[in-house]
Amino acid sequence: MKAIFKKAVPVLEKLEQAGFEAYFVGGSVRDTLLGREVADIDIATSAFPEEVKQIFTRTFDTGIEHGTVSVLEAGEIYEITTFRTEGTYADFRRPDEVVFIRSLEKDLERRDFTMNAIAMGLDGRFIDPFGGQQDMANKQIRAVGKPWERFHEDALRMMRGVRFVSQLDFSLEKRTYEAMQQNIVLLKNIAVERIAVEFVKLMKGEAVKVALGLIQELDMLSYLPGFTDQRAAIQRLESWNLAVAGDDETTWFVVVLAVMPENVGAFLRAWKLPNKLIREVAKAYDLADKHSWSDYELFATGAHTVALVEKARLVQTSETQWVDLHERFEALPIQSRSEIQASGDDIMAWADKKGGPWLKDLLARLDQAIIEGEIRNTQSEIKGWVKHVINESA
Ligand code: ATP
Ligand code: MG
């Protein structure tokens, strides 16, 4: 058993000692069987949420309505979800009600793909009622049960299917694929936030080119905000090395570079992304074509944005000047304004003037004077420089 599971063994033991069943489930079991890195583990149990809360001393109601209780155990937080079935699906997304149950098999039955419907017990045994291991051996993604019904219950599963194609370099089993072809329109019912989560994971997958091909084949473009009729954008993405993007922010930036929307902010807002990410990407987009940077431009733009621009360049061209630029940035006399050895109050005192627009203006010129080596970043040199500038302008 991998260390990450071993560490969680006491959690399962406690549940079992209290008379309940408990298993590792979901992506962690799948990834372990595939020999892939396991990021976080999910635990499923026959104990109902209230029962889970009685067994552990530190618990948090993270998603209690869905049966998920977080517990703190040996310094880690684990999510424990009660076995459940899902009631009727009136609107092609999320069930109308979840019903807690005591049966593992029924819980596995509601899961999306066979490879995600395998449980692992404390004894290391796998419970795999739908042949997930066989499908994985065949590199196939197969819906649990009738794919048509499963995509009607929750259309996001189609997006997840394509995301797993990208991450695992598997193919979609024939009937699963056909059901997607016939039901792709149901994606219009899915909240954009949920699509975004899958989309960005898809973009970071090793077989992203195959997945991008599927997006076109399955006519998914109209359900991705800002992508309607954007086949050219997909082709650009296909021609780049998306795997080197790494983080979400760079990935979204690269997506923006492929789509070239008229209004970057509006494009990213349509995906309901965090404001901070929108701001960073919009800033980088304005500088995307910049190749040569003066010291002052490096300073004023900031390392984060310059890195973003250069990472995107790496994705697009397999070349980047980031190593050089980073070295130059680190060698600047100051990396941020907070390092300047004089405050606004100091400057007002030296200038013998009250605050006002002049101060902001002067601070900007002070940055530049320090960055360009005109003066050193010391109280005395800054004081001399301020007096000189004030006299000149008087
Ligand atoms: P990742 O490695 O990216 O976390 P994952 O398969 O663990 O992939 P999660 O979103 O963490 O994905 O979901 C955990 C498990 O819950 C899945 O493995 C699957 O069994 C089940 N699941 C998640 N989303 C759905 C869904 N929309 N429909 C059915 N089952 C789902
Ligand atoms: Mg997971």
Side-chain angles (χ1 to χ4, degrees), residues 117-247:
I118 306 172
M120 181 170 83
L122 273 182
D123 53 5
R125 216 163 48 90
F126 294 100
I127 297 115
D128 177 13
F130 310 105
Q133 291 172 96
Q134 186 60 54
D135 282 330
M136 283 194 280
N138 298 333
K139 295 181 175 264
Q140 282 204 102
I141 299 166
R142 179 198 302 269
V144 171
K146 298 194 174 114
W148 182 287
E149 281 172 20
R150 305 316 307 289
F151 298 150
H152 271 253
E153 286 169 2
D154 182 358
L156 184 75
R157 290 170 185 157
M158 297 185 280
M159 188 78 204
R160 283 173 58 84
V162 179
R163 181 262 272 199
F164 288 123
V165 165
S166 180
Q167 287 182 320
L168 305 176
D169 199 8
F170 281 15
S171 48
L172 296 165
E173 176 272 330
K174 184 162 174 287
R175 288 177 51 237
T176 302
Y177 175 82
E178 286 166 2
M180 283 194 193
Q181 268 184 322
Q182 286 149 5
N183 292 294
I184 209 72
V185 62
L186 299 178
L187 273 179
K188 71 173 188 300
N189 302 296
I190 301 300
V192 64
E193 294 92 330
R194 295 178 80 206
I195 296 191
V197 169
E198 300 301 331
F199 182 72
V200 77
K201 286 186 179 177
L202 183 160
M203 284 296 164
K204 293 194 278 187
E206 60 188 70
V208 57
K209 291 193 169 83
V210 182
L212 289 168
L214 275 175
I215 284 182
Q216 299 191 82
E217 238 174 84
L218 291 166
D219 268 336
M220 289 168 79
L221 282 183
S222 343
Y223 312 104
L224 308 177
F227 270 93
T228 306
D229 299 327
Q230 287 280 1
R231 284 181 180 262
I234 296 290
Q235 275 150 23
R236 278 189 282 277
L237 288 167
E238 280 173 339
S239 72
W240 295 342
N241 186 8
L242 293 161
V244 298
D247 56 288

Side-chain angles (χ1 to χ4, degrees), residues 348-369:
M348 285 187 283
W350 296 328
D352 197 17
K353 278 169 88 166
K354 285 209 180 74
W358 69 271
L359 183 60
K360 194 170 169 249
D361 198 48
L362 188 127
L363 278 169
R365 287 169 62 194
L366 174 58
D367 285 351
Q368 197 157 0

Side-chain angles (χ1 to χ4, degrees), residues 25-28 30-31 39-40 42 84 86 89 108 110-113 115-118 150 154 156-157 160 163-164 167 194 198 201:
V25 288
S28 59
R30 175 198 68 223
D31 289 340
D40 56 4
D42 294 307
R84 59 179 213 221
E86 300 184 339
Y89 296 75
L108 295 176
R110 62 137 179 120
R111 294 176 184 271
D112 50 4
F113 300 108
M115 63 184 185
N116 290 342
I118 306 172
R150 305 316 307 289
D154 182 358
L156 184 75
R157 290 170 185 157
R160 283 173 58 84
R163 181 262 272 199
F164 288 123
Q167 287 182 320
R194 295 178 80 206
E198 300 301 331
K201 286 186 179 177

